[in-house]
Amino acid sequence: MKPIFFWSRVPLNQRDKLPKGPGLYAVVSLGKVFYVGLSEGLRDRWRGKHHHRLPQAQDLLFPYLHYIELPESKIRAAEKRLIDRVKPPWNNTKVPKYRWSFGELLSVAVIMFLVVVLWERWGDLLLELLGSFGIDENRLQRG
């Protein structure tokens, strides 16, 4: 079997372009393989938001799905060999529940604070500026 990086691939956000047939797939970002899986229908496995690793994959930088079509009779053994060889970090682990880090919470609080402070200070100026572009202040206030 060809190495993963020589398999066909699609960006994660174009996963609807995966083939319909059976095969193996790998979640890859910046040259690192994060997950390897098999499917009897590659496109259906990743359709919509059904794949259990989709939220993790969406958090990666430039995520791709590398795939290779194989007969159903060969995919289980091929997947096992590949996982043993590559040792992807997400295989054989639970899907984490997302928790906001302290840094993320602090960032959101700081941004909210700055919005309030800046609006108090320059809100009227901003409304005046928007008005000069033909944006009605009353329309902005109604939402």
Side-chain angles (χ1 to χ4, degrees):
M1 179 178 3
K2 295 189 290 190
I4 291 172
F5 297 101
F6 292 107
W7 294 1
S8 300
R9 68 182 186 150
V10 295
L12 184 66
N13 63 358
Q14 294 178 21
R15 59 191 180 278
D16 58 322
K17 294 181 179 176
L18 286 166
K20 292 181 179 181
L24 297 178
Y25 59 86
V27 176
V28 178
S29 172
L30 301 175
K32 180 174 174 76
V33 178
F34 286 87
Y35 186 77
V36 170
L38 63 84
S39 180
E40 294 173 1
L42 291 165
R43 185 181 308 161
D44 287 343
R45 182 70 178 105
W46 283 92
R47 178 173 288 167
K49 297 184 185 261
H50 297 126
H51 197 285
H52 66 292
R53 296 293 179 172
L54 182 60
Q56 279 179 288
Q58 288 173 323
D59 285 343
L60 296 172
L61 196 58
F62 307 115
Y64 276 83
L65 292 171
H66 291 238
Y67 64 90
I68 186 168
E69 294 182 89
L70 294 171
E72 281 185 49
S73 61
K74 295 185 178 186
I75 58 177
R76 294 203 191 293
E79 180 199 34
K80 183 176 180 352
R81 283 192 312 272
L82 193 58
I83 289 171
D84 288 344
R85 190 174 78 228
V86 175
K87 297 180 181 21
W90 295 352
N91 283 84
N92 302 313
T93 63
K94 288 185 178 184
V95 177
K97 291 183 180 172
Y98 188 78
R99 293 190 179 148
W100 286 55
S101 71
F102 177 74
E104 290 171 320
L105 290 172
L106 183 61
S107 297
V108 169
V110 167
I111 290 169
M112 290 172 55
F113 175 77
L114 287 174
V115 166
V116 170
V117 168
L118 293 175
W119 184 257
E120 285 295 320
R121 172 103 190 222
W122 290 303
D124 292 335
L125 180 63
L126 180 61
L127 289 174
E128 187 178 317
L129 178 65
L130 292 172
S132 70
F133 289 106
I135 298 173
D136 183 17
E137 175 180 336
N138 294 323
R139 199 171 107 206
L140 286 174
Q141 291 176 350
R142 280 183 283 174

